[in-house]
Amino acid sequence: GINRSFIPVKDEYREVYHDLTQIYKRKIKPLETTYNFEGFHSGPLTDSDILAKPMVLLLGQYSTGKTTFIKHLIESDYPGSHIGTDRFVAVMGGSESRVIPGNAAAVAADLPFRGLDRFGQAFLTRFQVSQCPNSLLDSMTLIDTPGILAGDKQRIERGYDFTKTIEWFAQRSDLVLLFFDSHKLDISDEFKNSIFALKGQEEKVRVILNKSDMVDQQQLMRVYGALMWSLGKVIQTPEVMRVYLGSFWLNRPPNVFEDCRALLDAEQADLLKDLRSLPRNAAIRKVNEIVKRARLAKVHAYIIGHLKKEMPAVFGKKSRQRELIRDLQGEFLKVQQIYSVPAGDFPNVTAFRQSLEAYKFENFAKISQPILSVAEEALSVDLPKIMKRFPQHNPLLELSQ
Amino acid sequence: GINRSFIPVKDEYREVYHDLTQIYKRKIKPLETTYNFEGFHSGPLTDSDILAKPMVLLLGQYSTGKTTFIKHLIESDYPGSHIGTDRFVAVMGGSESRVIPGNAAAVAADLPFRGLDRFGQAFLTRFQVSQCPNSLLDSMTLIDTPGILAGDKQRIERGYDFTKTIEWFAQRSDLVLLFFDSHKLDISDEFKNSIFALKGQEEKVRVILNKSDMVDQQQLMRVYGALMWSLGKVIQTPEVMRVYLGSFWLNRPPNVFEDCRALLDAEQADLLKDLRSLPRNAAIRKVNEIVKRARLAKVHAYIIGHLKKEMPAVFGKKSRQRELIRDLQGEFLKVQQIYSVPAGDFPNVTAFRQSLEAYKFENFAKISQPILSVAEEALSVDLPKIMKRFPQHNPLLELSQ
Ligand SMILES: Nc1ncnc2c1ncn2[C@@H]1O[C@H](COP(=O)(O)OP(=O)(O)OP(=O)(O)O)[C@@H](O)[C@H]1O
Ligand SMILES: Nc1ncnc2c1ncn2[C@@H]1O[C@H](COP(=O)(O)OP(=O)(O)OP(=O)(O)O)[C@@H](O)[C@H]1O
Ligand SMILES: [Mg+2]
Ligand SMILES: [Mg+2]
């Protein structure tokens, strides 16, 4: 079964994630909180941000088999799947089967969905989390989405910006699966807009030409060709998008065509390989992101500490702060020289200047060598050690996956 | 065999073509020569223009199997096929096997290649006609072309404008086959330019993804997908171009993949159907062109006859001619009213005015009712009668092809 092949993945990265949360909390988060990182970049990461499973976003016209694909992967229904097809469902692992409604899910500290409240009630009442115990769901979270209809009616009636929500999920996803139906190829304007919203994240996107055994081989070739023809026009990258020809049922329908079975089986095997590499790739991506964030927090600390140092002890604080803000570019240059920071590591001057307006520089913290040292240790020792657990291009490792 | 299936086609349209040359020569050509049609549009058609077989242009990167495809169709070599692959070869039917060099071919009255001399010696020495007795070649002429290499070297060394020659052949062709190689997909800039040169004639173009049995089924799908992806970007029409997956050998190579044989056979059958419909479609197209030309010649006669009538008998010829040329738009309007000609049938005023400069209006012929009447008869009786021999959407006829 599919599920069986996901069992070992679960434990493989548990230790990595555990270590990552510890390193972040002990060695990087103090640097962030000491130097007001939140006001310039983003709030500190929670455990659940780091521990969040890799996310797979399913997207497509209505009735292309998205929900059935999820059932096929988890080899069962998911809780609340009968409720309707007009909603976003985060299908996640959990110790028991339960449904968490959108409003509750968007405030739960242990779920990675805070931020969804920006899309309003109209969206939140159409969002739910479905948890159930399942070995595949221990490795990843699947986001089922409402099928896109042709025409404007649906778009107007929704009451929330569909494309924007897709963008939100896509940015947080490790894989985006675009679903098409072999016996009813259809790319509506709204679907096109959703595809446009994936711009810049093309390397995450895969296409599934589903229900491939509902047509004969020659028809399948025509549909597949037409799909590639249209996608080539919509997606502006020269790299060809990977399309999996397949048919993913929970219960095999009667009278399917068998003339491409070998091909479809090979394609399904490739897709599963793609899915199985997700936890590893997602873990690597997460380590990468923490490294990026730590470097940013370090430069940030230098800048803030430097501005503090430049402030007078008693008189003329206001005018000196104005001066520093005006000459910010020059101050960046000084920081660059004093601490030997690469120029490319500095934040955008204009945005930084704007954020500075909210603060009194005299209240900033001084450069603290102990806090900077532990962050430096995280960057030079702890995080590289974690990266070493993912040997690149290790053929044995590739084979075992 | 393939050739066998072409035997009945040969005689089917012989009568149509014979009648068409007779109608043109007796009823339309007199109208053209009487009213100087040649100076405004194009010289009178010869029998060989009308009798020319439908032409199929083969185009593609080097070594994609264009020449082998021709050998596959005619089930043998063609005369002079060993000479080299850097030339254009018109492979035509004929009572005996012979090669006609480019210079001779471009002046032969019984060949449809007058006009090729505009591309100069560099081209003509790279052009030849290869005739041989063959039932398929009784139905159509195949144009083999030199394979396109990647890079600029070939383009510079040719000494003639490749894209322009492709345009010349494409305009006169009824079908353009673009060849790609499944195990070496390659679209060079020059090939892209050749494809751009087909703009507006997309409905004539078919693609052959050749050597499809040199790769396994999954690889074939990847290559086919990549081809459609790229073609969708190059060709600006939304209609998907028909791609035939196939492998066309004279002698089957060893070790070919057999996993798509049924598909490739079905595709080959479709392609042959496409080729077999050529003579019929080409014949319809020819009747259509003669009808268009006859309507144009009729309006032309009205205009010339009208201008002649507007000229003074003795004095002030020059100034009157200048006046008529200046007011040409007004004179067109008069002709439109006097002879009830639809406005859309009139030629472009500016171009017509320019052509008029070469003539003395007093030498134009007067309106001749007998000449116009026979042309009218061709348009209202003879040509429609020929069209009736091609019933549209007659399922029995479609089946018999
Ligand atoms: N591989 C398949 N082969 C044939 N039929 C399928 C396949 N997958 C799903 N179907 C059928 O297609 C219909 C729609 O399936 P499903 O509800 O999974 O699609 P969906 O994309 O989730 O639709 P919606 O956009 O409405 O949520 C159902 O009737 C289902 O049985
Ligand atoms: N269907 C096929 N399967 C495998 N090999 C093929 C096939 N068709 C042709 N070839 C091989 O490919 C090579 C090139 O074939 P061919 O000369 O017909 O191509 P071409 O397009 O005419 O090349 P050029 O552009 O040089 O004129 C030859 O070695 C031929 O045997
Ligand atoms: Mg669904
Ligand atoms: Mg050749």
Side-chain angles (χ1 to χ4, degrees), chain A residues 60-69 85 144-148 210-214 246-249 253:
Chain A
Q61 303 281 138
Y62 73 98
S63 245
T64 47
K66 298 177 292 298
T67 303
T68 307
F69 178 77
T85 64
D144 199 2
T145 63
I148 301 168
N210 202 13
K211 308 192 190 179
S212 285
D213 52 6
M214 299 290 282
S247 189
F248 302 94
W249 352 267

Side-chain angles (χ1 to χ4, degrees), chain B residues 87-254:
Chain B
R87 51 188 58 214
F88 285 77
V89 184
V91 185
M92 312 183 74
S95 51
E96 48 178 329
S97 283
R98 61 168 175 166
V99 171
I100 307 170
N103 275 292
V107 294
D110 61 337
L111 292 175
F113 300 116
R114 282 160 309 144
L116 273 177
D117 48 359
R118 79 181 64 170
F119 299 112
Q121 274 307 312
F123 172 76
L124 289 178
T125 56
R126 293 268 167 276
F127 173 57
Q128 75 186 43
V129 171
S130 290
Q131 286 184 316
C132 58
N134 182 285
S135 63
L136 180 135
L137 295 177
D138 283 335
S139 301
M140 62 190 73
T141 293
L142 307 170
I143 310 289
D144 198 2
T145 63
I148 301 169
L149 297 170
D152 274 345
K153 190 166 172 296
Q154 185 190 33
R155 189 179 54 72
I156 292 158
E157 284 178 357
R158 273 200 201 101
Y160 61 90
D161 189 334
F162 182 77
T163 312
K164 282 264 177 294
T165 57
I166 291 302
E167 226 178 311
W168 192 94
F169 280 106
Q171 271 160 8
R172 283 151 187 84
S173 293
D174 298 90
L175 195 66
V176 179
L177 298 177
L178 300 182
F179 276 75
F180 293 88
D181 182 331
S182 297
H183 77 320
K184 195 166 54 57
L185 193 56
D186 196 8
I187 313 185
S188 68
D189 286 346
E190 190 165 29
F191 192 21
K192 252 184 224 160
N193 288 339
S194 302
I195 298 176
F196 284 136
L198 303 175
K199 206 181 150 83
Q201 313 188 62
E202 285 86 358
E203 84 289 350
K204 286 181 189 175
V205 183
R206 309 283 184 278
V207 174
I208 293 186
L209 184 53
N210 202 11
K211 309 192 189 179
S212 285
D213 51 7
M214 299 291 281
V215 295
D216 71 27
Q217 190 175 18
Q218 247 193 317
Q219 277 174 284
L220 181 59
M221 290 308 97
R222 294 285 85 73
V223 172
Y224 171 56
L227 174 63
M228 296 307 279
W229 178 275
S230 310
L231 283 178
K233 288 180 188 292
V234 177
I235 297 162
Q236 292 306 314
T237 54
E239 295 81 36
V240 183
M241 195 147 281
R242 177 63 158 102
V243 175
Y244 294 102
L245 295 115
S247 189
F248 303 93
W249 351 269
L250 187 58
N251 303 305
R252 177 174 182 149

